Amino acid sequence: MTTTAATTPSERTALPPRTPLRGRLAVVSVMLGIFSIVTTEILPIGLLTSIGSDFAVSDGTAGLMMTMPGLLAAVSAPLVTVATARVDRRLMLCAFMLLLALADFLTAAATDYRLVLVSRVMVGVTIGGFWSIAAGLAGRLVPPASAGRATAVIFSAVPLGSVLGVPVGTFIGGLAGWRTAFVVMGVLSVGVLALMLLVVPALPPAQVTRASLLRTVLNRPGTRFALLLTFLIVLSHFATYTYVTPFLEQVTHAGPALITVFLLVYGAAGIVGNFVGGALVTRRPRAAVALAAGLITAATALLPVLGRWEAGAVALLVVWGVAYGAVPVCSQTWFAKAAPDAPEAASVLFTASFQATFALGALAGGAVLDRLSVSAVMLLGGATAALVVVVTVVTVVTGTGSGRFGFRGRRAVGADRGMGRSL
């Protein structure tokens, strides 16, 4: 890639890598970073009993390993991003990968459960900081025409972490002990760090993300609409999916081996949904979100009826997997399009809202489960997802909102002009 005389030094360093291959490798390295983070975050799910028994703590206390990272990520996403706003983003990505590796090794070496919780704090900070930078980074690593596909590749790490990471980690834990599983994740994180140092170009801040900028972006109608959609659909998913295993045990009467197969099928469908959603949301953003929400509604609402049979359960899990696989990339795209002039600020708000709703959804689903039943959890989750469909249809009919999504709020910002209409 050549530069003209009018291009400033900082602009040159902010441009995509000089070769398409290096750009693709940079995208892959970011994807592997998110894969490592997602896997580390949810790895304790399969190892909870072993870890709890080793430290003589209850299952509820051991469950803090799952709730702490999400809550800390929601807090750290804006705080860490603002505090490091003037630091090269490549350096920050590498620093977060180093922090993740240290957290994995600390967990593996912990002699006291309090050290495990310290390591989970480190994981939470990593999630908030790395995601806030990486979620909107595709456009700086590859040419604009390839940004949509690159974003889908980056977000494919989420279902990949669920499909491959957790089962493999659980297998390693059963074979060689849970500490070995965390050592393996630490080694993987170090490998991703080395790859990033080799292929990710210098990424000086394109715009300093201050607290005032976050407030400005948050006040935009498009951002608030993205927050509403993300809150509803993520709340619906995690309130239900967190308890899908108890449902399969109690209602479908599936055994452990069959449940593992079902969840692998769900995860594979999620990978498909991720790329389908990434392709659709760039052209039809409202249609993509409404379709994903509608399919989640159908799958969760029908599970108490059709999920009594194994064939019905696996069919609905495939539908659910495809639908939710599209959600992260669709949600991130909505935030990015609502603030095209402040991509990192949009990523911060996306990360914070996603992680906070992740934790809230799991808590809400657990409360319903304790008071009612696992089938009630599915029905209420489906009703919540249906609200997303209602909201998007209402905005189409009333023409409310702003920007690219066809909404015309009076507070639409100039940066949103000329972006065209979709749907």
Side-chain angles (χ1 to χ4, degrees):
M1 179 185 298
T2 59
T3 57
T4 64
T7 305
T8 67
S10 74
E11 287 171 335
R12 285 197 295 272
T13 56
L15 290 174
R18 293 181 178 273
T19 66
L21 176 60
R22 188 179 176 191
R24 289 193 291 269
L25 289 174
V27 168
V28 169
S29 73
V30 174
M31 183 271 286
L32 289 174
I34 292 181
F35 172 83
S36 301
I37 290 171
V38 169
T39 304
T40 297
E41 181 181 15
I42 61 180
L43 185 60
I45 289 176
L47 305 170
L48 207 64
T49 304
S50 300
I51 297 173
S53 62
D54 262 19
F55 291 106
V57 298
S58 67
D59 287 345
T61 303
L64 289 173
M65 290 186 292
M66 289 303 301
T67 56
M68 286 181 63
L71 294 174
L72 282 162
V75 175
S76 66
L79 294 180
V80 173
T81 305
V82 170
T84 64
R86 298 184 182 277
V87 182
D88 187 289
R89 310 329 272 160
R90 172 179 179 265
L91 178 61
M92 290 309 305
L93 289 175
C94 292
F96 288 126
M97 287 312 302
L98 178 60
L99 183 63
L100 182 67
L102 293 174
D104 286 322
F105 292 136
L106 177 60
T107 301
T111 55
D112 187 284
Y113 186 63
R114 286 172 292 186
L115 290 176
V116 175
L117 294 182
V118 169
S119 76
R120 300 306 284 178
V121 170
M122 296 163 65
V123 171
V125 173
T126 299
I127 295 169
F130 193 99
W131 268 93
S132 295
I133 297 171
L137 201 60
R140 298 187 67 183
L141 299 176
V142 296
S146 303
R149 290 191 300 273
T151 300
V153 169
I154 288 173
F155 277 93
S156 69
V158 178
L160 278 173
S162 301
V163 175
L164 300 177
V166 173
V168 171
T170 305
F171 173 76
I172 294 172
L175 192 66
W178 65 266
R179 294 180 187 273
T180 304
F182 282 96
V183 169
V184 171
M185 287 309 306
V187 171
L188 175 61
S189 299
V190 171
V192 174
L193 170 60
L195 181 60
M196 284 184 174
L197 290 171
L198 289 173
V199 301
V200 176
L203 296 168
Q207 184 180 44
V208 176
T209 303
R210 298 186 179 91
S212 58
L213 178 60
L214 291 176
R215 287 194 297 270
T216 298
V217 173
L218 183 59
N219 285 332
R220 297 179 182 179
T223 304
R224 291 181 175 181
F225 193 75
L227 280 169
L228 174 62
L229 294 183
T230 299
F231 172 78
L232 290 175
I233 200 166
V234 175
L235 179 69
S236 166
H237 173 75
F238 282 106
T240 50
Y241 184 69
T242 303
Y243 305 100
V244 71
T245 296
F247 178 90
L248 294 173
E249 291 172 344
Q250 298 170 24
V251 179
T252 311
H253 302 295
L258 189 58
I259 290 174
T260 300
V261 173
F262 279 7
L263 296 183
L264 285 171
V265 170
Y266 164 89
I271 296 173
V272 174
N274 172 78
F275 287 99
V276 171
L280 181 59
V281 73
T282 55
R283 300 189 301 271
R284 303 290 184 189
R286 280 183 296 199
V289 173
L291 179 60
L295 291 175
I296 291 174
T297 299
T300 53
L302 289 174
L303 263 175
V305 179
L306 301 181
R308 299 175 184 177
W309 299 278
E310 294 173 359
V314 73
L316 291 174
L317 284 172
V318 169
V319 173
W320 191 354
V322 170
Y324 183 72
V327 169
V329 65
C330 287
S331 178
Q332 164 60 20
T333 301
W334 274 78
F335 275 96
K337 296 301 183 183
D341 55 324
E344 187 167 279
S347 292
V348 169
L349 294 174
F350 162 75
T351 302
S353 62
F354 207 96
Q355 291 293 330
T357 311
F358 174 107
L360 180 61
L363 289 173
V368 173
L369 179 61
D370 289 342
R371 289 165 176 77
L372 298 173
S373 68
V374 70
S375 292
V377 171
M378 298 298 162
L379 291 172
L380 291 174
T384 305
L387 291 176
V388 177
V389 181
V390 172
V391 169
T392 45
V393 170
V394 168
T395 58
V396 172
V397 173
T398 62
T400 55
S402 67
R404 173 178 172 82
F405 308 109
F407 309 134
R408 295 179 179 173
R410 58 186 176 84
R411 297 180 66 188
V413 295
D416 293 331
R417 296 172 189 157
M419 296 180 67
R421 292 176 60 89
S422 41
L423 198 82

